[in-house]
Amino acid sequence: FPVTIDQGKVIMAKKKWVSKAFAGSHGQLHKQLGIDPDNSIPLHTLERASKEPGLIGKRARLALAARHFHHGR
């Protein structure tokens, strides 16, 4: 796990940051982009939204990063 150094002390990083990153935002990116929740967000739409500032850009960048996560491995 990655570590951070805080005032000379080595602190372990939090293990479940991914689950906390996605908590409470279920379906919000779909809603902000105006896409039906039953459909997946097209890649070109995610890439365009990731360049926007603010919360919509953060959510889009996280969604792009999550595409590379391997579930159950």
Side-chain angles (χ1 to χ4, degrees):
F1 294 113
V3 295
T4 58
I5 299 176
D6 182 33
Q7 298 175 355
K9 297 178 185 176
V10 175
I11 302 171
M12 294 299 291
K14 297 190 182 202
K15 294 181 182 178
K16 298 187 179 185
W17 68 269
V18 175
S19 62
K20 290 179 182 178
F22 287 104
S25 63
H26 185 72
Q28 291 300 313
L29 185 58
H30 277 85
K31 188 182 289 186
Q32 286 178 320
L33 294 176
I35 297 174
D36 185 31
D38 296 331
N39 298 332
S40 61
I41 301 173
L43 180 60
H44 66 89
T45 306
L46 271 180
E47 289 172 345
R48 187 178 56 213
S50 69
K51 295 175 182 160
E52 292 187 24
L55 193 57
I56 190 168
K58 282 185 182 180
R59 286 180 175 155
R61 286 186 291 276
L62 183 61
L64 282 172
R67 293 179 67 236
H68 302 290
F69 294 169
H70 296 286
H71 304 286
R73 288 188 183 183

